[in-house]
């Protein structure tokens, strides 16, 4: 696989940024010894255990814990403030996600090396495959360049609009707030577009290598296999998955640190207000990338079928049909680039929403989060970090011994090859989430239950989707059987199955929302979404490997 110079520059630049951030984080930790005095849990230190400080500051320092930290206590007991509320809590919060993002980028580097070792079409005697793949890559690149050119104008225009709106409506620090929101917006949009571009470039490179792995080396008598093709395709899809979570977590964590440095650690409400611009920028790209790519994909698919199978009477993917190239281009720009931008927005949006609700809910009297905003914010960043590590381990569990003989094999057997990795990642994440929620942040088992409910809801929706779309089960079989009586009954049955398929996910989401709201309020609902998306690295890989 040949990587262009811009791709190399992008990878090296991002990696250098991560190393710089990690060095800064380690230096900050080293400069704050109170962070790891008494225990490595930075949010659970009870300074009443320190006799020296109790004697020096009196009764104000005898029963203080992190959940009770306020301005009066800080002034009465400076050491308490240093132990329970460090002078730079933003680095305590941001260091784990930045380290996890670095793990994601290092894993992507490993995937590049892995993919580069797979043979190309020319190396196995299928040079024509490389030629067709190059045309698909050229078309996909041309589409994204055109799309991003228009989106750049939109992003700049909307950023200027946000700047003037906040500049004219804010009473204090209007210029700083307006600039922070607009720059956060541009940063979120840029990273969202970069995630889609990155995944699409690798996916188009992996197309020919997947075909070569399945075909085998005919010249040397080396047979191909389904597992060999799966390894190539899933490796290229994993680049998309880990690019999204790596860029997303690194971007939102860095933005949080910068905003806290500007407005101070005590004004978290204003920090979250500006951080929302990051999620808004990601959403703006996701909207156009997903919709535009999806429309192009379906238009090219239907056009290729009409001109090929209906008019010319040739196979669906016959290389003599030029529209087939457009169809494959659509698969990459819609199902890879568009999906990547879409889930990038969902990923960072869930983190920002949970952190924002942590600030507001911690101010309510009698709430389970009262006085625990720092811990609740930290959890929103910790869970995705755990998810990246779990997804990295789950990647190595993906394999299959099935032969893939078309209709002679159950689709569930092939799906299990992918599900093994997702289930392993989910199990590891569950264990890590318990440590983060209960042990590190001290938020109790109710919040942990919210996280697990979100994770379970996502997995349940996935299984329901498989049931309604797999030819192993009744819904798809019923549509196939209607084909015996003509296209009209196929359309009617397909529409009916599609409508029914919406019911189970709706019920699952309704139960999840009501139960998490009862356990943890609005924050419980938000943190369940974080739990659902924390293993996005491997779940997105299972989606992006398809094209």
């Amino acid at each position: 696989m040949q990587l262009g110079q811009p791709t190399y520059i992008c990878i090296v630049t991002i990696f250098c940024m991560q190393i710089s951030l990690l060095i800064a984080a380690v230096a900050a930790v080293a400069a704050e010894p109170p962070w790891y005095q008494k225990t490595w849990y930075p949010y659970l230190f009870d300074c009443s255990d320190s006799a020296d400080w109790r004697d020096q500051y009196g009764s104000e320092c005898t029963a203080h814990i992190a959940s009770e930290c306020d301005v009066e206590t800080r002034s009465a007991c400076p050491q308490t403030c240093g132990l329970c509320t460090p002078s730079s809590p933003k680095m305590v919060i941001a260091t784990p996600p930045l380290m996890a993002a670095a793990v994601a980028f290092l894993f992507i580097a490993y995937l590049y090396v892995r993919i580069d070792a797979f043979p190309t079409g020319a190396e196995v005697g299928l040079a024509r495959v490389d030629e067709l793949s190059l045309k698909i890559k050229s078309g996909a690149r041309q589409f994204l360049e055109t799309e991003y050119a228009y989106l750049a104008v939109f992003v700049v225009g909307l950023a200027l609009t946000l700047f003037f709106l906040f500049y004219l409506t804010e009473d204090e620090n209007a210029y700083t707030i307006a600039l922070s929101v607009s720059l956060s917006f541009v940063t979120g949009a840029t990273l969202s577009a970069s995630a889609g571009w990155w995944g699409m470039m690798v996916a188009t490179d992996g197309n020919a290598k997947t075909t070569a792995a399945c075909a085998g080396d005919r010249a040397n008598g080396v047979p191909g296999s389904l597992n060999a093709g799966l390894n190539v395709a899933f490796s290229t899809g994993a680049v998309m998955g880990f690019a999204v979570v790596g860029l997303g977590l690194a971007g939102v964590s860095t933005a949080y640190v910068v905003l806290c440095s500007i407005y101070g650690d005590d004004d978290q409400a204003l920090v979250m207000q500006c951080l929302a611009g990051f999620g808004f920028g990601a959403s703006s790209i996701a909207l156009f990338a997903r919709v535009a790519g999806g429309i192009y994909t379906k238009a090219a698919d239907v056009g290729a079928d009409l001109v090929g199978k209906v008019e010319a009477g040739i196979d669906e993917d016959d290389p003599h049909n030029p529209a087939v190239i457009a169809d494959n281009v659509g698969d990459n720009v819609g199902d890879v680039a568009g999906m990547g931008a879409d889930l990038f927005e969902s990923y960072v949006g869930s983190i920002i929403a949970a952190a924002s609700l942590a600030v507001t809910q911690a101010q309510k009297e009698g709430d389970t989060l009262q006085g625990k905003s720092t811990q609740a914010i930290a959890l929103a960043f910790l869970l995705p970090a755990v998810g990246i590590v779990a997804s990295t381990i789950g990647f190595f569990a993906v394999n299959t011994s099935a032969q893939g003989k078309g209709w002679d094999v159950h689709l569930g057997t092939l799906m299990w090859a992918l599900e093994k990795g997702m289930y392993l990642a989910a199990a590891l994440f569950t264990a890590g989430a318990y440590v983060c929620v209960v042990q590190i942040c001290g938020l109790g088992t109710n919040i942990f239950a919210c996280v697990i409910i979100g994770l379970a809801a996502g997995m349940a929706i996935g299984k329901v989707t498989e049931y309604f779309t797999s030819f192993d089960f009744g819904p798809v079989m019923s549509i196939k059987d209607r084909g015996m009586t003509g296209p009209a009954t196929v359309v009617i049955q397909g529409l009916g199955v599609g409508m029914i398929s919406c019911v189970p996910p709706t019920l699952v989401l309704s139960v999840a929302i009501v139960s998490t709201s009862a356990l943890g309020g609005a924050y419980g609902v938000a943190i369940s979404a974080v739990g659902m998306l924390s293993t996005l690295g491997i779940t997105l890989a299972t989606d992006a490997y398809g094209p």
Side-chain angles (χ1 to χ4, degrees):
M1 180 178 62
Q2 298 296 322
L3 299 177
Q5 185 177 4
T7 305
Y8 273 121
I9 295 174
C10 178
I11 295 172
V12 172
T13 301
I14 292 173
F15 180 73
C16 290
M17 289 173 59
Q18 287 300 305
I19 295 298
S20 300
L21 287 169
L22 285 176
I23 293 174
V26 172
V29 171
E32 293 284 349
W35 288 2
Y36 45 87
Q37 287 184 11
K38 179 69 177 178
T39 174
W40 66 284
Y41 304 145
Y43 310 111
L44 300 178
F45 189 85
D46 186 345
C47 75
S48 61
D49 293 337
S50 177
D52 294 338
W53 289 100
R54 183 175 63 247
D55 294 340
Q56 181 173 352
Y57 290 98
S59 59
E60 294 88 350
C61 196
T62 57
H64 174 66
I65 57 175
S67 62
E68 300 171 356
C69 192
D70 52 31
V71 175
E72 290 77 16
T73 308
R74 292 176 192 175
S75 61
C77 181
Q79 178 67 358
T80 296
C81 188
L83 290 169
C84 301
T85 313
S87 59
S88 298
K90 59 181 176 291
M91 293 310 302
V92 175
I93 293 174
T95 298
L98 288 175
M99 294 178 67
V103 170
F105 292 130
L106 290 174
F107 187 64
I108 290 174
Y110 159 76
L111 292 174
Y112 268 107
V113 175
R114 178 185 172 95
I115 296 170
D116 193 55
F118 293 122
T120 62
E123 293 172 350
V124 298
L126 298 173
R128 178 65 171 161
V129 171
D130 292 337
E131 296 175 9
L132 294 173
S133 178
L134 185 61
K135 292 180 180 180
I136 295 171
K137 180 175 182 177
S138 175
R141 183 168 185 165
Q142 206 56 39
F143 177 91
L144 283 190
E145 287 178 353
T146 303
E147 181 182 49
Y148 285 178
Y150 285 99
L151 284 179
V153 177
F154 169 78
V155 168
V156 171
L158 192 52
L160 292 174
T161 302
L162 290 172
F163 176 84
F164 286 113
L165 284 175
F166 278 90
Y167 182 74
L168 295 175
T169 56
E170 291 291 336
D171 296 328
E172 298 180 2
N173 298 325
Y175 177 80
T176 305
I177 294 174
L179 187 62
S180 299
V181 172
S182 57
L183 289 180
S184 295
F185 172 82
V186 172
T187 303
T190 302
L191 291 179
S192 179
S194 299
W197 177 274
W198 196 350
M200 185 275 295
M201 294 298 289
V202 179
T204 51
D205 285 330
N207 290 341
K209 295 199 169 192
T210 302
T211 304
C214 292
D217 190 348
R218 299 177 181 178
N220 297 318
V222 178
S225 68
L226 178 64
N227 190 56
L230 175 63
N231 286 334
V232 180
F234 194 72
S235 295
T236 56
V239 173
M240 170 83 265
F242 284 91
V244 167
V245 297
L247 289 175
L249 195 54
V252 73
S253 301
T254 304
Y256 176 75
V257 170
V258 171
L259 291 171
C260 283
S261 300
I262 295 173
Y263 301 108
D265 297 316
D266 293 331
D267 198 352
Q268 289 294 307
L270 183 56
V271 169
M272 294 304 162
Q273 175 184 326
C274 297
L275 190 61
F278 185 95
F280 185 36
S283 299
S284 65
I285 295 296
L287 172 65
F288 291 98
R290 186 64 171 147
V291 173
I295 292 174
Y296 178 88
T297 255
K298 295 308 174 186
D301 190 6
V302 174
D305 288 345
L306 289 176
V307 76
K309 291 190 291 186
V310 177
E311 295 183 4
I314 58 180
D315 293 336
E316 180 177 354
D317 292 328
D318 194 304
H320 296 94
N321 183 2
V324 171
I325 298 296
D327 185 8
N328 283 273
V329 167
D331 288 339
N332 284 281
V333 300
D335 295 338
V336 178
M339 177 67 77
D342 186 14
L343 289 178
F344 179 94
E345 178 273 331
S346 300
Y347 187 72
V348 300
S350 66
I351 297 172
I352 295 171
S356 300
L357 288 170
V359 175
T360 57
Q361 194 164 324
Q363 298 172 355
K364 295 181 179 179
E365 291 289 338
D367 194 277
T368 55
L369 294 182
Q370 182 181 358
K372 297 182 180 180
S373 63
T374 302
Q375 298 94 312
I377 293 172
L379 182 62
F381 288 88
L382 276 174
L383 292 178
V386 174
I388 287 178
V389 177
S391 298
T392 303
I393 298 172
F395 169 87
F396 295 99
V398 175
N399 57 72
T400 182
S401 58
Q403 298 300 312
K405 297 179 180 179
W407 292 94
D408 293 333
V409 67
H410 291 290
L411 185 60
T413 303
L414 303 179
M415 286 296 297
W416 175 243
L418 302 173
E419 290 173 346
K420 287 186 297 184
M422 291 190 292
Y423 291 154
L424 176 59
L428 294 173
F429 172 75
T430 300
Y434 179 83
V435 174
C436 290
V437 177
V438 179
Q439 300 297 324
I440 296 181
C441 295
L443 295 180
T445 54
N446 280 3
I447 300 300
F448 173 69
C450 292
V451 175
I452 300 307
I453 289 172
L455 181 65
M459 296 174 65
I461 292 173
K463 295 304 293 183
V464 168
T465 303
E466 181 184 346
Y467 173 76
F468 280 100
T469 57
S470 170
F471 54 72
D472 283 350
F473 303 107
V476 173
M477 291 181 181
S478 69
I479 298 174
K480 175 179 69 70
D481 292 341
R482 296 305 182 274
M484 301 296 293
T485 55
T489 50
V490 172
V491 171
I492 294 172
Q493 183 69 13
L495 185 61
V497 169
M499 289 181 174
I500 295 173
S501 69
C502 297
V503 176
T506 303
L507 293 177
V508 170
L509 288 175
S510 299
V511 172
I513 291 172
V514 171
S515 57
T516 53
S517 178
L519 290 170
Y523 179 79
V525 178
I527 205 66
S528 70
V530 175
M532 181 184 295
L533 293 170
S534 288
T535 56
L536 183 64
I538 191 168
T539 53
L540 181 54
T542 62
D543 181 86
Y545 100 103

